[in-house]
Amino acid sequence: MVRIQSLQQSTNIAKLPCAEGAAHNDWLRRHEDHCLQDTRVELRKQIMDWCDDPDSKCIFWLNGMAGTGKSTISRTIARELAEKKRLAASFFFTRGKKDVSHSGMFFTTIAAQLAISLPVLRTSISDAIDKNPHIFKQGPREQWNQLILNPLKNAPTQSIQLVVVIDALDECDSMQDIQLILQLLEEAKDLATVRIKIFLTSRPEIPIFDGFRQLSGEAYQDFILHNIPLDTVNADISTFFQQKLSPLKAKHGLGTPWPNELNISQLVERAAGLFIYAATTLRFIQDGIDGPEESLSLVLSATKSSLSATEHLDGIYSTLLQHSVLGKRGYQECEQLAGRFRQVVGSIVVMFNTMPARNLAQLLQIPFKMVSTTLDSLRSVVNIPEDESQPVRLFHLSFRNFLLDSRRCSDSRFQIDEKERHTSLFRKCMEHISQLQENICNLWGPGVLITEVPDDTIQNGIPPHAQYACRYWFDHLRLGNPVEQDIKTIRQFLEQDLLHWLEGLSLIGEVSNGAHIIIALEEILSVSCNAH
């Protein structure tokens, strides 16, 4: 009987929708940096002291400007807590990556991790799913109460204190959801037996400030990362450069001293407190086609030391683009390479989900070699996994912001026109949708349940690039700048491909979104009719 109950609990908990890439130790995050042992020492101690103090406030909000190292600190804290068996769960929001760019799976993912880190909750979480099988489709408040808060309140265990790590809350795509998440998390302060604390990071954006202002002062404490004395930050960045550049000396047989103290001092000065500058510069020096010495010289000669932190970051981005993408080629070839860059990287910048390079090539309908050679020159800013089945993505959101802002990206060859890219991707999506056919997965009968269809059958019938097209064509249309011909394409889609698209959506588990898209599309077409 006990074994049967255990199996039933495991079955129920396995139903919890979990966001891919959310956890700090997820496979997709295996190459992401952690703090070096001798860096961020005082801050890490302060955070761990907060974790250990039974009288400290429920929420610790670490906020800081882009590039100040918040995510690296989060990963380090999560790992240290996990090693001490103190980590309840972790969720790392990432803009532009489907499951972790919104709050749709936030609470169910946290609940699934809690069931592992605190097994005594498994019965309560399983019972909640039995009582309300539709909980996965209900709102955040219902999921929080039924899957997390109530099981914690009723946990039959001795007093224990665990921590949930939430990184980059500002990268959740709905500010209203962000504020609701904060309101719900505040309720954890009243837990008695199993006490849950929340370590949370974000940029200091006004809607998040407003969200915290709505909480009671007893619920949270904050720490402003960019208010740490610059001398302390510079010492950490100096340690970073010294430890990371040292192996290059032996690998390339460079003379001693390299880099010398002046070089390190100049790099630290240009970083101006931004760890993302240090990390990007390091990758550029490591991967530079002319060797580390020449790459270091390029970095040091690219910008003046009197510039602001953002200007230095823009400078390193401009330098690596001009050097790595264009090099010393002629005008015509440079224009061609810049066009490929805007097409390939511009698509990555505005897409709603990441995908492997080969699938990106299929979506864009260009040769895979064109995509791979374009990305190979950008390893300083684009994470390209060794496993080709894994998605490519930007290392840091600041590179996206740089490319989309013509005031920061002064070289027009690399500027990304966001509306133009969305419109182009909309057109590519519609071309792929037009290739869908009736019974595209060759199912064996009209009454087949989706749950009975093997995943590989769906993947073969509707490959990842076609799945992306089915999911996101409307979002690209909405954010693009469609012309009259695009409206004609939509009308043709409604006449010829609507049922095939709905069949595709049902096979990939997204059919509920189809109704919302059709309703929203009606408004766009009405506006178009009036305009034309």
Side-chain angles (χ1 to χ4, degrees):
M1 185 66 179
V2 173
R3 180 175 176 80
I4 293 174
Q5 289 178 340
S6 178
L7 288 173
Q8 181 61 44
Q9 289 174 10
S10 297
T11 300
N12 280 344
I13 290 170
K15 296 176 184 176
L16 288 166
C18 292
E20 183 181 21
H24 77 285
N25 58 350
D26 189 277
W27 173 258
L28 297 177
R29 298 185 179 277
R30 66 194 183 281
H31 296 309
E32 294 182 347
D33 292 332
H34 294 78
C35 295
L36 296 177
Q37 183 176 356
D38 299 325
T39 61
R40 301 293 200 184
V41 175
E42 288 300 319
L43 175 58
R44 286 157 55 191
K45 182 180 183 303
Q46 182 174 341
I47 296 168
M48 295 306 292
D49 286 345
W50 164 81
C51 293
D52 295 335
D53 183 359
D55 297 322
S56 61
K57 295 183 179 180
C58 176
I59 300 174
F60 188 115
W61 176 31
L62 179 70
N63 75 79
M65 297 182 299
T68 49
K70 299 182 296 297
S71 293
T72 303
I73 294 169
S74 294
R75 285 189 292 272
T76 305
I77 294 298
R79 183 176 66 180
E80 291 181 9
L81 288 168
E83 290 172 351
K84 296 180 178 181
K85 309 296 184 185
R86 297 281 308 284
L87 182 68
S90 59
F91 197 103
F92 281 58
F93 283 99
T94 307
R95 184 165 296 161
K97 188 176 178 186
K98 187 193 173 194
D99 290 347
V100 290
S101 65
H102 58 80
S103 64
M105 297 185 189
F106 176 73
F107 287 115
T108 54
T109 300
I110 297 295
Q113 293 183 40
L114 274 173
I116 296 173
S117 59
L118 199 58
V120 72
L121 298 181
R122 292 174 63 87
T123 300
S124 297
I125 295 174
S126 176
D127 289 347
I129 297 170
D130 276 334
K131 292 176 183 176
N132 186 359
H134 301 293
I135 186 64
F136 311 136
K137 297 181 180 180
Q138 294 178 347
R141 186 174 297 279
E142 288 77 12
Q143 292 181 1
W144 163 253
N145 285 330
Q146 297 178 37
L147 296 175
I148 300 175
L149 189 62
N150 290 338
L152 287 169
K153 284 180 177 179
N154 301 320
T157 185
Q158 60 184 1
S159 181
I160 190 172
Q161 187 166 269
L162 299 175
V163 181
V164 174
V165 175
I166 303 170
D167 182 65
L169 183 61
D170 55 285
E171 295 191 29
C172 177
D173 60 12
S174 168
M175 285 300 168
Q176 288 182 322
D177 286 353
I178 288 173
Q179 294 184 350
L180 178 57
I181 286 172
L182 291 174
Q183 292 170 19
L184 296 175
L185 291 177
E186 181 189 20
E187 297 176 6
K189 74 180 190 303
D190 298 321
L191 291 169
T193 306
V194 179
R195 190 179 182 199
I196 293 292
K197 291 185 172 184
I198 296 94
F199 175 72
L200 185 152
T201 74
S202 77
R203 289 186 293 180
E205 297 185 348
I206 291 177
I208 297 181
F209 269 115
D210 290 341
F212 273 103
R213 289 193 190 102
Q214 295 173 25
L215 308 186
S216 68
E218 298 177 354
Y220 77 96
Q221 67 184 70
D222 61 359
F223 186 97
I224 302 174
L225 191 55
H226 49 268
N227 280 356
I228 294 177
L230 188 57
D231 288 346
T232 302
V233 178
N234 284 347
D236 287 343
I237 293 177
S238 178
T239 299
F240 173 85
F241 277 124
Q242 290 170 4
Q243 292 191 20
K244 293 293 187 177
L245 290 176
S246 181
L248 292 179
K249 186 188 305 182
K251 180 179 179 180
H252 294 272
L254 302 177
T256 301
W258 187 91
N260 59 41
E261 291 184 10
L262 178 60
N263 295 153
I264 295 292
S265 176
Q266 291 171 322
L267 289 173
V268 170
E269 188 176 13
R270 283 162 170 75
L274 293 183
F275 275 85
I276 186 56
Y277 176 95
T280 304
T281 299
L282 173 69
R283 288 191 291 267
F284 179 65
I285 295 172
Q286 287 175 329
D287 301 332
I289 57 177
D290 294 325
E293 288 182 299
E294 179 65 23
S295 298
L296 176 58
S297 297
L298 279 169
V299 169
L300 296 178
S301 62
T303 57
K304 299 178 181 179
S305 59
S306 60
L307 300 179
S308 68
T310 301
E311 289 170 327
H312 278 301
L313 185 59
D314 295 348
I316 188 62
Y317 284 149
S318 296
T319 298
L320 72 88
L321 288 176
Q322 291 165 5
H323 181 73
S324 300
V325 177
L326 305 182
K328 300 176 181 178
R329 298 176 176 89
Y331 173 79
Q332 187 172 357
E333 190 176 1
C334 282
E335 290 298 306
Q336 183 181 30
L337 292 172
R340 289 182 186 176
F341 171 87
R342 293 192 298 272
Q343 182 181 25
V344 175
V345 180
S347 297
I348 294 173
V349 160
V350 304
M351 284 172 64
F352 297 99
N353 198 11
T354 54
M355 63 174 58
R358 195 171 295 278
N359 297 129
L360 178 62
Q362 293 170 318
L363 178 67
L364 298 178
Q365 297 175 313
I366 58 178
F368 169 64
K369 187 175 182 180
M370 184 182 296
V371 173
S372 61
T373 53
T374 299
L375 295 178
D376 278 341
S377 65
L378 293 166
R379 291 182 178 272
S380 301
V381 287
V382 180
N383 188 350
I384 307 169
E386 296 178 7
D387 182 354
E388 288 189 359
S389 68
Q390 297 300 316
V392 296
R393 58 184 179 81
L394 304 182
F395 274 114
H396 199 266
L397 189 63
S398 60
F399 185 55
R400 176 186 189 273
N401 296 338
F402 165 77
L403 294 174
L404 294 176
D405 190 339
S406 59
R407 295 167 299 179
R408 295 179 58 188
C409 182
S410 57
D411 191 331
S412 61
R413 294 173 296 183
F414 299 114
Q415 292 171 4
I416 305 300
D417 185 326
E418 190 168 6
K419 284 188 174 295
E420 185 275 330
R421 274 289 90 211
H422 278 299
T423 303
S424 177
L425 283 167
F426 156 72
R427 293 167 183 166
K428 293 296 182 185
C429 288
M430 297 311 291
E431 289 181 32
H432 289 296
I433 289 174
S434 69
Q435 296 172 19
L436 297 176
Q437 301 174 359
E438 183 179 353
N439 194 21
I440 193 169
C441 289
N442 297 314
L443 302 184
W444 47 93
V448 175
L449 296 176
I450 298 301
T451 54
E452 297 175 354
V453 183
D455 287 341
D456 58 348
T457 299
I458 296 176
Q459 293 294 325
N460 290 334
I462 314 176
H465 65 279
Q467 292 188 27
Y468 182 93
C470 288
R471 284 187 175 109
Y472 297 116
W473 67 268
F474 178 76
D475 294 301
H476 288 301
L477 170 70
R478 176 174 54 86
L479 295 174
N481 190 23
V483 298
E484 185 175 356
Q485 184 57 45
D486 296 315
I487 303 302
K488 291 180 180 178
T489 298
I490 294 173
R491 296 186 184 282
Q492 183 177 354
F493 154 76
L494 292 172
E495 293 171 1
Q496 300 178 5
D497 304 311
L498 177 63
L499 293 180
H500 300 155
W501 170 63
L502 289 173
E503 179 184 342
L505 283 181
S506 68
L507 286 165
I508 62 177
E510 297 281 345
V511 71
S512 60
N513 291 332
H516 298 298
I517 290 174
I518 295 299
I519 293 171
L521 187 61
E522 182 179 13
E523 181 179 349
I524 288 180
L525 292 177
S526 298
V527 171
S528 173
C529 287
N530 293 334
H532 296 287

